[in-house]
């Protein structure tokens, strides 16, 4: 049928499609090259899953010189969780090694308190029969590679929460999966718990999704990603107090 309509076979048409793609993106690449290219340096080599790299602030670093990055790693061999890489000022070499910071089974970014503690997420048992994603905290300078350390504090219970971000005053923003939709929520870190939790931005659609919030440096605004009905993916910036977009 396609040959009768076009005079060409599927194979011939596909070759034409590939040629149009090459020409289209070659034109875009020329525009990018004119602005100048900046090539990065590869710093991990273990493969499989790598998520949410974040520079560690000075207050939470373990060394006085260079930079540090914490990221989620699951290479199918070592225990999954949050790992730390030390970067010299001149960059990283292929032999750079990672340090296991916190055992976790949730692909989630971390966040740091003003004292240098770390918040992260992991999947844990709930009521013996469920597996739920909850938020955890580590005090400054501590690691939790086993997952059962006494100072590794669970901050939420059965909430299906992930992607924590914390402001200097202890306000915590995170996302919660609830009946198919994911909402942006906010609370206060107090006494090893997240208190006064509330929805900051209600979803308009049943299946709307919120992802990876991040506080502004002054703690007054939150940037996060959203997916809304129709397949639209956008970045929002909202007021951390009122939720106004």
């Amino acid at each position: 049928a396609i040959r009768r309509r076009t005079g060409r076979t599927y194979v011939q048409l596909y070759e034409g499609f590939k040629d149009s793609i090459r020409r289209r993106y070659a034109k875009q690449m020329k525009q990018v090259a004119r602005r100048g290219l900046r090539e990065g340096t590869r710093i991990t080599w273990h493969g499989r899953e790598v998520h949410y790299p974040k520079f560690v602030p000075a207050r939470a670093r373990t060394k006085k010189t260079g930079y540090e990055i914490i990221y989620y790693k699951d290479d199918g061999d070592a225990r999954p969780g949050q790992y730390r890489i030390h970067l010299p000022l001149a960059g990283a070499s292929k032999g750079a090694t990672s340090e296991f910071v916190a055992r976790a089974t949730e692909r989630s970014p971390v966040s740091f308190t003003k004292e240098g503690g770390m918040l992260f997420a992991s999947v844990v048992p709930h009521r013996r029969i469920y597996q739920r994603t909850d938020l955890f905290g580590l005090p400054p300078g501590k690691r939790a590679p086993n997952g059962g350390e006494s100072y590794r504090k669970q901050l939420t219970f059965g909430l299906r929460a992930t992607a924590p971000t914390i402001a200097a005053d202890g306000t915590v923003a995170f996302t919660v999966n609830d009946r198919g939709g994911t909402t942006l929520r906010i609370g206060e870190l107090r006494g090893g718990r997240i208190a006064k939790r509330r929805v900051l931005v209600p979803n308009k659609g049943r299946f709307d999704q919120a992802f990876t919030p991040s506080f502004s440096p002054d703690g007054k605004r939150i940037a996060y990603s959203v997916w809304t009905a129709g397949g639209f993916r956008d970045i929002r910036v909202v007021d951390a107090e009122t939720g106004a977009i």
Side-chain angles (χ1 to χ4, degrees):
I2 193 71
R3 193 170 192 174
R4 288 196 302 268
R5 300 291 292 182
T6 67
R8 290 177 172 81
T9 65
Y10 274 110
V11 174
Q12 292 170 330
L13 290 172
Y14 186 66
E15 290 302 318
F17 165 75
K18 290 193 295 183
D19 181 64
S20 69
I21 291 295
R22 292 190 193 99
R23 288 185 282 108
R24 176 183 176 184
Y25 289 105
K27 183 178 179 180
Q28 292 185 14
M29 286 304 298
K30 287 181 180 179
Q31 295 174 351
V32 172
R34 281 197 296 267
R35 292 196 298 265
L37 298 176
R38 178 176 293 180
E39 296 290 340
T41 300
R42 184 174 179 177
I43 58 176
T44 65
W45 298 83
H46 50 70
R48 201 164 183 246
E49 293 192 23
V50 179
H51 300 276
Y52 304 113
K54 176 171 283 191
F55 278 105
V56 180
R59 63 184 180 276
R61 293 176 194 160
T62 58
K63 295 185 178 181
K64 295 182 179 180
T65 60
Y67 301 98
E68 295 178 4
I69 290 176
I70 284 186
Y71 69 103
Y72 183 84
K73 166 185 171 181
D74 183 1
D75 63 1
D77 182 26
R79 285 180 172 179
Q82 303 293 342
Y83 282 75
R84 182 194 313 263
I85 286 181
H86 299 276
L87 301 179
L89 293 175
S93 66
K94 186 172 181 178
T97 58
S98 56
E99 175 189 31
F100 197 12
V101 177
R103 187 178 184 180
T105 51
E106 167 69 358
R107 304 171 186 87
S108 170
V110 303
S111 189
F112 300 93
T113 67
K114 66 177 182 180
E115 297 83 11
M118 188 179 83
L119 303 186
F120 62 101
S122 186
V123 178
V124 290
H126 177 64
R127 294 181 180 176
R128 297 186 179 181
I129 60 175
Y130 301 107
Q131 293 290 319
R132 296 285 177 84
T133 307
D134 278 302
L135 305 183
F136 291 80
L138 282 179
K142 293 291 187 179
R143 298 190 304 117
N146 294 321
E149 292 82 355
S150 60
Y151 49 79
R152 180 184 189 264
K153 298 299 183 182
Q154 187 169 346
L155 306 177
T156 64
F157 294 83
L159 194 59
R160 302 178 79 182
T162 189
T165 179
I166 186 167
D169 65 356
T171 302
V172 182
F174 50 94
T175 63
V176 170
N177 189 327
D178 184 18
R179 292 182 293 237
T182 307
T183 55
L184 178 64
R185 305 197 183 190
I186 202 165
E188 298 177 8
L189 183 59
R190 291 183 178 181
R193 294 288 187 274
I194 297 180
K196 296 185 177 181
R197 301 191 304 264
R198 62 185 174 90
V199 176
L200 184 62
V201 183
N203 287 346
K204 294 182 179 180
R206 179 182 177 186
F207 299 114
D208 287 359
Q209 309 290 330
F211 305 95
T212 55
S214 183
F215 270 104
S216 61
D218 61 8
K220 295 182 179 180
R221 293 176 295 176
I222 300 171
Y224 70 107
S225 173
V226 295
W227 183 96
T228 54
F232 298 101
R233 191 72 181 258
D234 293 294
I235 302 295
R236 287 180 181 170
V237 178
V238 300
D239 185 283
E241 180 63 30
T242 66
I245 298 175

